[in-house]
């Protein structure tokens, strides 16, 4: 194998996507996984797997994604902005697209293709109305994103729920739970809230018409979320574009753009990852541990145990008793 293949790596807030395109721009390898903020370890594992599969193949690389810039700088790989990446992938793999809606773990994008021009709108400052928001709401209902999707298929009602912030959404959902609202209706309402947040926050009145492509992990895995978008926007079936690899389009765009960069060996990248400070490769800052050793922990417990509330069994209590109830937004004490 003498031809150079192109590798695109999309490191988002919650997942890492790695794709390989051959010289004909065909997808020859892909991987999609959560990184749990251990970006260096996740990237190393991906590249080690790629090395075992393809051996001494030659590659060019490009990184993208909300967490990709920092690691690209630290290991010396090219970085491309993610909206440019997804626009590039759409132009090549789905050129009929008029509007693209892409939801990630903690950001959202709407891209308009009009008269040869590209207008890109992105929200990367708040996780409201994204995959992380859906995960948070699923936990509130004692399920996961797939559970929400299955429940939503049987909904009858849609409740108005705010999606700009998880706190606001909980304030709307908790009273509905307390009143006995069905999980099927709550699940569909959560998806509808995501739709409303995306359209109002990014489209801002700009019509979403023509061929509409749905991209990103949440829109790839959650059929009912797509259904809420399609119904809300009144998109005809023939105008719905749902690519097979929609969750990978940002990485595929990066791989497409990697073609213009110099060849780099897997061995060299793996060596840099191994020698890099692993704390610098994480997506979040690392704080010092609360306790550096067992002695510090024992001292902490001894100090705090000096201030204890005296307790006795309720059956042994006598005289006047006082009952306090704290009914909060998510718990009752």
């Amino acid at each position: 194998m003498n031809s150079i293949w192109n590798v695109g790596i999309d490191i988002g807030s919650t997942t890492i996507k790695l794709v390989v395109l051959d010289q004909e721009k065909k997808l020859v390898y892909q991987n999609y996984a959560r990184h749990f903020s251990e970006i260096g370890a996740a990237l190393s594992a991906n590249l080690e797997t790629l090395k075992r599969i393809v051996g001494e193949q030659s590659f060019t690389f490009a990184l993208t994604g909300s967490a990709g810039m920092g690691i690209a700088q630290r290991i010396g790989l090219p970085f491309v902005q993610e909206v440019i990446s997804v626009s590039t992938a759409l132009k090549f793999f789905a050129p009929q697209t008029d509007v693209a809606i892409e939801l990630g773990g903690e950001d959202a994008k709407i891209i308009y293709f009009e008269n040869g021009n590209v207008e890109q709108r992105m929200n990367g400052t708040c996780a409201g109305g994204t995959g992380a928001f859906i995960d948070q709401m699923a936990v509130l209902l004692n399920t996961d994103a797939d559970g929400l999707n299955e429940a939503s298929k049987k909904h009858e009602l849609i409740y108005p729920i705010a999606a700009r912030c998880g706190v606001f959404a909980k304030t709307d959902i908790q009273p509905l739970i307390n009143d006995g609202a069905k999980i099927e209706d709550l699940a569909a309402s959560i998806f509808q809230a995501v739709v409303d947040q995306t359209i109002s926050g990014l489209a801002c009145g700009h019509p979403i018409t023509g061929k509409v492509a749905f991209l990103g992990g949440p829109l790839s895995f959650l059929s009912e979320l797509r259904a809420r978008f399609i119904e809300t926007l009144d998109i005809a079936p023939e105008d719905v574009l749902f690519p097979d690899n929609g969750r990978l389009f940002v990485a595929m765009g990066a791989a497409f753009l990697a073609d213009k960069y110099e060849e780099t060996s897997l061995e060299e990248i793996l060596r840099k990852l191994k020698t890099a400070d692993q704390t610098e490769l994480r997506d979040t800052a690392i704080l010092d541990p609360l306790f550096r050793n067992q002695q510090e922990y024992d001292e902490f417990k001894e100090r705090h145990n000096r201030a204890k509330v005296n307790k006795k069994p309720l059956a042994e209590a006598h005289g006047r008793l006082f009952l306090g109830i704290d009914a909060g937004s998510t718990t009752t004490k």
Side-chain angles (χ1 to χ4, degrees):
M1 295 184 293
N2 297 319
S3 61
I4 298 176
W5 287 357
N6 310 127
V7 179
I9 305 171
D10 173 18
I11 306 175
S13 55
T14 59
T15 58
I16 179 170
K17 287 78 70 178
L18 186 148
V19 302
V20 180
L21 302 181
D22 64 15
Q23 285 297 291
E24 296 180 354
K25 306 307 178 189
K26 294 182 180 178
L27 185 64
V28 295
Y29 175 79
Q30 60 172 285
N31 188 58
Y32 180 105
R34 288 181 179 261
H35 56 59
F36 302 103
S37 291
E38 297 289 349
I39 295 174
L43 180 55
S44 294
N46 266 275
L47 295 178
E48 290 283 6
T49 300
L50 182 60
K51 180 182 175 182
R52 289 195 300 269
I53 293 174
V54 301
E56 300 301 320
Q57 175 66 44
S58 299
F59 296 101
T60 61
F61 289 83
L63 269 67
T64 187
S66 57
M69 179 178 289
I71 196 169
Q73 293 173 339
R74 289 180 176 88
I75 62 177
L77 288 178
F79 176 83
V80 292
Q81 207 279 337
E82 58 190 289
V83 179
I84 296 175
S85 294
V86 71
S87 299
T88 301
L90 283 166
K91 286 182 178 179
F92 185 82
F93 297 107
Q96 70 274 40
T97 302
D98 294 306
V99 183
I101 300 174
E102 199 257 353
L103 296 185
E106 291 184 1
D107 57 39
K109 311 174 192 68
I110 293 182
I111 305 172
Y112 293 92
F113 298 88
E114 297 176 333
N115 302 319
N117 298 318
V118 178
E119 181 181 349
Q120 307 160 345
R121 303 181 180 193
M122 178 177 176
N123 170 30
T125 59
C126 177
T130 65
F133 172 85
I134 294 172
D135 287 343
Q136 188 180 27
M137 294 302 103
V139 170
L140 190 62
L141 297 180
N142 296 315
T143 184
D144 56 16
D146 289 335
L148 286 183
N149 195 66
E150 289 303 310
S152 180
K153 293 177 181 179
K154 302 176 183 178
H155 79 277
E156 297 177 352
L157 298 173
I158 298 288
Y159 298 104
I161 294 174
R164 187 67 182 89
C165 175
V167 176
F168 299 159
K170 287 180 179 178
T171 303
D172 288 338
I173 290 175
Q174 196 61 47
L176 294 170
I177 296 175
N178 296 342
D179 289 342
K182 296 191 299 182
I183 186 174
E184 293 84 355
D185 295 337
L186 292 174
S189 301
I190 290 168
F191 288 155
Q192 185 63 50
V194 172
V195 172
D196 295 341
Q197 173 62 28
T198 303
I199 296 173
S200 62
L202 293 180
C204 299
H206 192 143
I208 299 176
T209 57
K211 303 288 185 181
V212 181
F214 294 98
L215 309 173
L219 285 168
S220 294
F221 298 123
L222 304 175
S223 60
E224 297 309 297
L225 177 60
R226 293 197 305 273
R228 300 310 319 146
F229 268 104
I230 292 169
E231 181 177 324
T232 301
L233 296 170
D234 193 22
I235 306 173
E238 62 271 17
D239 290 332
V240 175
L241 303 179
F242 177 48
D244 293 336
N245 300 303
R247 67 193 184 283
L248 303 171
F249 258 47
V250 179
M252 292 170 68
F256 194 95
L257 294 168
D259 200 30
K260 64 183 179 181
Y261 298 111
E262 293 183 1
E263 176 186 345
T264 306
S265 71
L266 278 173
E267 289 289 351
E268 178 66 12
I269 298 174
L270 287 168
R271 184 189 64 79
K272 290 181 178 179
L273 284 169
K274 289 177 181 178
T275 57
D277 183 347
Q278 292 302 304
T279 60
E280 294 183 354
L281 299 179
R282 298 173 188 257
D283 187 29
T284 54
I286 304 301
L287 301 177
D288 292 333
L290 291 175
F291 312 106
R292 287 173 292 185
N293 50 50
Q294 184 64 36
Q295 180 182 349
E296 288 190 359
Y297 179 53
D298 292 338
E299 291 174 353
F300 167 82
K301 290 196 297 182
E302 192 276 332
R303 185 173 69 252
H304 279 258
N305 284 338
R306 295 174 195 164
K308 276 190 172 182
V309 176
N310 294 326
K311 298 180 181 179
K312 66 189 314 183
L314 185 60
E316 298 179 10
H318 56 83
R320 296 184 66 193
L321 303 180
F322 302 88
L323 175 65
I325 300 175
D326 173 16
S329 60
T330 59
T331 60
T332 300
K333 286 76 70 177

